Amino acid sequence: MRIAGRGPGVRPVSFSFDGRRYEGRQGDTLASALLANDVALVGRSFKYHRPRGVMTAGPEEPNALVTIGRGAAATPNTRATVQEVFDGLEAFSQNRWPSLDWDLLALNDLAAPFLGAGFYYKTFMGPRGWWERVYEPLIRRAAGLGALSGKPAPERSEKAFAFCDLLVIGAGPAGLTAALVAGRSGADVILADEDFRMGGRLLAKGAEPGPEWAAGILAELESLPNVRLMPRTTVTGVYDQGTFGALERVSLHLADPKGLPRECFWRIVAKRAVLAAGALERPVAFRNNDRPGVMMASAVRAYLHRWGVVPGKRVAVFGNNDGAHVLASELVAAGVNVVGLIDSRHDVVPSGDFRVWTGTQVCNAHGRKRLEAITLRTPAGTERLAVDCLAVSGGWNPSLHLTCHLGGRPEWRRDIAAFVPTHRAVPGLRAAGACNGTFTLGACLSEGRAAAEEALGALGMTPKAVDLPEAPEAQYNITPLWSVPGKGRAWLDFQNDVTVKDVAQAAQENFRSVEHMKRYTTQGMAPDQGKNSNVNALAVLADATGQTIPGTGTTTFRPPYSPVSIAAMGAGAEGKGFAPERFTTSHRAAVGMGAPMIEAGLWYRPSYFPLRSETHWRQSCDREVQMVREAVGICDVSTLGKIDIQGPDAAALLDLVYANRFSTLKEGRVRYGLMLREDGFVMDDGTTARLGPEHFVMTTTTAAAGPVMRHLEFVHQVLRPELDVSMISVTEQWAQFAVAGPKSRELLNGLLDAPVDNDSFPFMACGDVSVMGVAARLFRISFSGEHAYEIAVPARYGEALFRELVARAEGLGGGAYGMEALNVLRIEKGHITHAEIHGRTTAGDIGMGRMIAAKDCIGRVAASRPGLTDPDREQMVGLRPVGDVKQLTAGAHLFDAGAAPVRENAQGYVTSACFSPTLGETRALAFLKRGRARHGEHIRMVDHLRGIDALCEVTDPVAFDPEGGRLRG
């Protein structure tokens, strides 16, 4: 019910829940609006489908999960305690059929003795085959809470990046103070808070001036240009180097988003951070403590003071700390009928205008779809009280999750019966306030100021003085009470239906490790990640195993802190955002020439360049191959990865990452290199040019450009951080074209401002040149086996140069060639691509074992393992057909000529195949067991998928110009 004169503004808001219309107020959450309308039942539990009501007032809510909206716009598993109401809001309960009031699957509750922890490991043992056909489909159909619509969401999400001097996480008293100190001192500050209204627990302080003080601080912060306020923003994870993930709810509170995104996932990089995330109140486990109407005391206090709502007409308070007394007094002051205060401690002096039971525990809750009564276990016996709301306080757990995301473990503080953050568990982050185990207001304010001053000092800034208001120093006294002994089920994890008995059973069945107990019972594995249940479960496990709570330890904290929709985390990654189209500078010219484009990684490259008279791609391909062999061809090779590496230790880095040596490479020369993974298998190949004493340019394959760059960064940052070297990808900055064929030098000399010859620019030379006044780079390297060059110019000149090269080539009887011809040319020469170095081949397999130099390099030791040097391994060979069937296909398997074509007899496989117009026959590259020793043998190639069976001769991989005279001439 709503209390007059309290709560948010008076503007009414109309919304619906399960099709029934209700009225709330602007500033209400869905939970506060439902409680104001006396709606107690809001959901059903996960496994037993027990009735559940609102339990908390914040993001830790385990029960009140609803679906917002209809159809494709429906958002399941939304916490009613976080969702703001707006005109036209439609909310629906979840996990029930046919309705919330009458849920057929509530029959599961009657079968509870058979559905305890780990029941699925013991129950569905037979009949054989029923698990996949019967049990698993039924369980999957019944599992889950909300359901996705299965349709694309009509609204979009966004991602964004932010940088700051200081990130303050949480806008309670400590967070506001830290942000104020840093803001006044001139630091670039971001203040992020998951609530739509900043102030934290100050908003639930009743008659105290907390809300007014918070409003004044926020007004000043908002006026500072160096401070960004980010309400509705949950910091979800901590990552390396001061990076934080954060989810902002942008338009989920608006009836008309007006084009705004639903959510925005932020990546925030902060030089320093203050964690002021507060603390979460924990319950006490007792029989039927999950009944609608059993709530956290802090939630009852928040609904009273912030929203002017009381969840019942007859309220009782049950606690083990002084906060329960404060709530009872405030309820009485607000005119609420407080039936009594139940304090489990014996040494408490009763006070207040209400009845107090000391040394007493609530041992049972009565009612089904809402609370009707509770049973007390007093020193004199049992007593029953008629209540419709029970406010429970079992103490407070600091919200320390973010301090553990980099592997840190919290520490146990016996005086507050809670875990607190380990100091400096996250570099550059300091915890302050309640999340640091400080539960008095004055101390929270002081810690917030001290944390900001420490951060400013580390940044070399001078903190400005900030006067703190006087605050009451009420002490936090607690006597731990985790669960009330007795018969019946006492609930720990309300979202996953885990009871005290389940945890005790896990220990009895020897799942005594906290991580094992978690997985056996599913404790803390629901969307709320056990925010208000994990510590209680640890205490129950400690008692069952005879250990202390710190000795039992905690489970591993992992991001995200709160659920993050995949649409937000992957914002922009749908459609072309998922697979961006990358075009070369020659793309427009190639399309204009009629070239069909094919995907090469994320790049689009021309397959072939058809003439009007050509009706089949093979005609174009054969012509282009012959054109390169007899005249000159132009191919855009800009998609190859290009990494600029500079520094005194650049050569040392290359010696480490390449199998062969690069420190001996002379300036103005290029060398082919083979790169191994740490496990000894080939990672990539390419050429590296030495442009200066400390300047190299590495080329990679198109597919491995990104992985190789990541590999180099890993090697530099992790394996050899002492190396003085810098690197950057310049793939997009240079347009590069292959000019291949006997007339390639003739063509280039018509363009270069200074011509080249075989003496001044021999094979594998490189250097700076000038093309019609434009600075360029020239490399004499060949992937085709012909006399060839690659010329690179700044990308802005790429299209113009391509058109000029093609025009001049056509004048010499040549022209442009595409990927199909490029593939034929390299197969004829036995050159590898990732069809051959597919992750399972070694340097020895591809005939390059001698390239592993007598020096240290990544993968060298692993490559020498017996299994990788076995002479019976599959080795690269060439194939040519010698039977009636002339077609060879990639993906086909190889068998001895007289063997049955079955898996047990497989001798190898084909990786690449083509028709060679130069040789007048089909050629292929393949891997064959002991292949290099079997040249001249006949082998059977079988393609079961295409129905092709061909007899082949095993040859050397190099089928054309094995001496290499053409490329050196």
Side-chain angles (χ1 to χ4, degrees), residues 508-528:
Q508 186 178 5
E509 297 189 14
N510 210 31
F511 292 94
R512 303 165 70 86
S513 160
V514 63
E515 295 287 2
H516 292 165
M517 178 276 289
K518 170 183 175 178
R519 285 152 181 82
Y520 187 70
T521 63
T522 70
Q523 162 65 43
M525 295 177 66
D528 71 337

Side-chain angles (χ1 to χ4, degrees), residues 195-550:
D195 205 335
F196 61 89
R197 184 181 170 194
M198 292 184 167
R201 291 288 169 193
L202 292 173
L203 304 180
K205 283 293 183 180
E208 299 176 20
E212 291 76 12
W213 179 82
I217 298 299
L218 287 168
E220 180 177 348
L221 291 174
E222 197 167 10
S223 70
L224 295 175
N226 55 312
V227 176
R228 172 187 286 177
L229 302 182
M230 296 182 67
R232 302 184 180 90
T233 302
T234 304
V235 177
T236 60
V238 179
Y239 305 92
D240 291 335
Q241 300 175 341
T243 302
F244 298 80
L247 180 68
E248 179 184 10
R249 307 185 305 277
V250 180
S251 66
L252 296 177
H253 61 292
L254 300 175
D256 181 7
K258 299 186 185 301
L260 291 173
R262 288 167 54 85
E263 297 172 308
C264 180
F265 189 78
W266 289 83
R267 291 158 179 83
I268 302 174
V269 180
K271 296 177 182 176
R272 288 293 184 274
V274 172
L275 179 64
L280 301 175
E281 196 170 26
R282 61 184 178 234
V284 176
F286 56 88
R287 185 177 182 181
N288 293 322
N289 60 322
D290 64 330
R291 296 300 186 203
V294 179
M295 301 177 63
M296 303 311 306
S298 58
V300 174
R301 191 180 190 194
Y303 287 121
L304 171 66
H305 296 304
R306 180 172 172 181
W307 289 286
V309 172
V310 178
K313 298 179 180 178
R314 293 177 55 84
V315 181
V317 182
F318 173 38
N320 62 353
N321 61 84
D322 296 345
H325 294 255
V326 175
L327 172 62
S329 298
E330 291 177 352
L331 288 170
V332 170
V336 179
N337 180 14
V338 176
V339 176
L341 168 66
I342 303 97
D343 196 320
S344 61
R345 299 172 296 178
H346 293 270
D347 55 347
V348 176
V349 178
S351 63
D353 192 14
F354 43 83
R355 186 177 177 185
V356 178
W357 284 266
T358 60
T360 299
Q361 300 169 346
V362 176
C363 60
N364 197 2
H366 306 275
R368 180 66 183 170
K369 296 178 181 177
R370 77 178 304 158
L371 183 65
E372 297 174 357
I374 56 175
T375 297
L376 311 183
R377 183 182 296 147
T378 71
T382 59
E383 187 173 342
R384 181 167 172 141
L385 290 179
V387 299
D388 56 3
C389 176
L390 175 64
V392 180
S393 178
W396 293 83
N397 294 327
S399 295
L400 49 77
H401 307 64
L402 296 181
T403 66
C404 301
H405 281 180
L406 296 185
R409 293 286 183 176
E411 299 173 348
W412 180 255
R413 268 185 54 187
R414 188 173 180 180
D415 60 322
I416 61 172
F419 285 99
V420 296
T422 301
H423 187 53
R424 301 194 186 283
V426 174
L429 180 145
R430 174 172 168 176
C435 76
N436 198 38
T438 302
F439 295 148
T440 61
L441 180 56
C444 285
L445 296 171
S446 298
E447 279 197 9
R449 179 171 63 183
E453 290 172 348
E454 178 183 306
L456 292 169
L459 295 173
M461 305 177 73
T462 303
K464 288 192 176 180
V466 171
D467 295 328
L468 300 180
E470 293 185 7
E473 293 295 335
Q475 295 302 310
Y476 176 68
N477 299 307
I478 182 173
T479 300
L481 176 64
W482 310 107
S483 63
V484 176
K487 295 182 179 181
R489 288 172 291 170
W491 304 90
L492 292 168
D493 189 323
F494 296 85
Q495 214 162 60
N496 264 1
D497 276 345
V498 179
T499 65
V500 170
K501 180 182 177 182
D502 291 331
V503 175
Q505 178 183 326
Q508 186 178 5
E509 297 189 14
N510 210 31
F511 292 94
R512 303 165 70 86
S513 160
V514 63
E515 295 287 2
H516 292 165
M517 178 276 289
K518 170 183 175 178
R519 285 152 181 82
Y520 187 70
T521 63
T522 70
Q523 162 65 43
M525 295 177 66
D528 71 337
Q529 297 187 10
K531 287 184 175 64
N532 59 4
S533 62
N534 277 342
V535 175
N536 291 42
L538 298 177
V540 172
L541 180 64
D543 182 65
T545 57
Q547 300 184 78
T548 63
I549 295 177

